[in-house]
Amino acid sequence: MSEGPIIAVRFGLFAIEGLLLGVPLFGLYALRGPERSQLPFRAWLILLGLIGVCLNFLGFALLLANMAGTAIDAIDSDLARSILLTAPVGWAFMVRLSVTALALGVVLLAPANRTSMLASVTAFSSVALASLAWNGHGVATEGVLAWPHLLADIVHLLAAGVWLGAIACLLYMVVRPKASLADLTIAGRCLKEFGFVGSMVVALLIATGLINGFAILGNQPFGPAFGSAYIVLMGSKLALFALMLALAALHRFRLVPAVESATDHADKAMAVRRIRSSMAVELAAAVVILGLVAWLGTLEPGW
């Protein structure tokens, strides 16, 4: 069957499970209790949870159809049972579906914006996002690098989810029309505080990216691979990541200090508006990177 639907669902799972981790976590470290009304956490998390459950079912169905070489409506139940009971990718699917459903249940039943609710969803979602490592090259490495590669892949996914959720939340906070001075002050403080979290996230992404790259390409002769689809996509991903790093540095060292130094509503609003465009570009780059990662996971890195 075509790789297009598989890539699309992989992209959706990376994005949805990443946001399910990063959004509630942002509410925990960036916003104080009363300030959480700045973001529609309950509505977002319910929507993300519902989409996540649907995408997990669809992703597993596409996996089975691809393995059997049949249409999605002709899946063999015996094959499905065998994968669920004996294959790591089947176990990962069951875990991911279960914890995503649990996260959705917590959001539906617990009081909105409570620390306990956000913490529970963050915990469940971190397990769901980590389980996606079993859907890619992280489980294909053998020998001494097998576990370091898998662990690096898991940390890479979690760090990316934290960054993606923060970008989405911060962008929402700075694009709202008719924000009050208090709203803009909170947004400015959150932008500043994410500087520390963002630095840790970037460090983890770089370190784990290097481990993953060595595990996948370390034994491959680079010369013959140059110009291949895998190298082109990986190079594009790295270029977009560099763009995101540059924008993050611009926010931290120039744009955010401008928000802090603004003394009235008009000045602060103007300073915040300057951040909107760069944050929109950063989010767009993150979305494209997720698409590239989804595509890369379907390619064979060997040449």
Side-chain angles (χ1 to χ4, degrees):
M1 64 180 298
S2 170
E3 293 287 346
I6 295 175
I7 294 172
V9 171
R10 283 173 56 84
F11 165 78
L13 284 172
F14 286 135
I16 295 300
E17 299 291 5
L19 288 169
L20 266 174
L21 168 64
V23 167
L25 185 60
F26 181 86
L28 291 173
Y29 68 77
L31 294 170
R32 302 171 184 125
E35 297 172 349
R36 289 173 185 158
S37 60
Q38 295 278 323
L39 292 166
F41 282 109
R42 180 185 286 278
W44 282 7
L45 295 176
I46 289 175
L47 179 61
L48 290 170
L50 289 172
I51 296 174
V53 169
C54 294
L55 279 177
N56 275 295
F57 275 118
L58 179 58
F60 187 65
L62 287 172
L63 171 68
L64 294 175
N66 188 56
M67 292 178 65
T70 63
I72 196 170
D73 58 353
I75 295 173
D76 183 3
S77 60
D78 290 335
L79 174 62
R81 188 179 305 108
S82 175
I83 296 299
L84 288 173
L85 295 178
T86 64
V89 68
W91 304 337
F93 160 71
M94 288 191 291
V95 169
R96 185 167 57 254
L97 179 63
S98 298
V99 293
T100 301
L102 284 171
L104 177 59
V106 168
V107 179
L108 291 171
L109 298 176
N113 296 344
R114 291 284 183 87
T115 297
S116 57
M117 184 273 279
L118 295 175
S120 297
V121 175
T122 298
F124 288 133
S125 300
S126 64
V127 175
L129 184 58
S131 71
L132 286 172
W134 275 264
N135 285 36
H137 295 126
V139 292
T141 302
E142 299 178 349
V144 69
L145 285 177
W147 278 105
H149 185 195
L150 180 59
L151 291 174
D153 217 11
I154 290 172
V155 174
H156 199 79
L157 284 166
L158 295 177
V162 174
W163 198 354
L164 179 64
I167 294 172
C169 291
L170 290 169
L171 182 59
Y172 178 86
M173 294 178 74
V174 299
V175 300
R176 289 178 304 168
K178 299 181 181 179
S180 66
L181 179 59
D183 293 338
L184 296 176
T185 301
I186 293 171
R189 196 201 74 236
C190 290
L191 285 162
K192 180 181 179 181
E193 291 183 356
F194 181 66
F196 174 71
V197 176
S199 297
M200 292 193 299
V201 165
V202 167
L204 288 172
L205 287 172
I206 292 175
T208 55
L210 290 173
I211 295 172
N212 289 342
F214 179 78
I216 294 174
L217 301 175
N219 295 322
Q220 301 291 339
F222 183 78
F226 186 77
S228 67
Y230 193 92
I231 290 298
V232 170
L233 293 178
M234 182 61 71
S236 301
K237 175 192 171 184
L238 294 176
L240 288 170
F241 180 67
L243 172 62
M244 292 181 69
L245 289 182
L247 291 172
L250 177 65
H251 296 156
R252 181 171 183 179
F253 298 112
R254 184 170 179 179
L255 299 181
V256 173
V259 175
E260 291 182 294
S261 62
T263 56
D264 58 30
H265 182 276
D267 290 340
K268 197 174 288 288
M270 181 176 294
V272 168
R273 281 197 295 271
R274 294 190 182 115
I275 296 178
R276 292 177 185 172
S277 297
S278 60
M279 290 207 69
V281 172
E282 188 174 357
L283 181 60
V287 170
V288 175
I289 286 176
L290 288 179
L292 293 174
V293 171
W295 193 352
L296 282 165
T298 65
L299 297 177
E300 182 63 44
W303 321 116

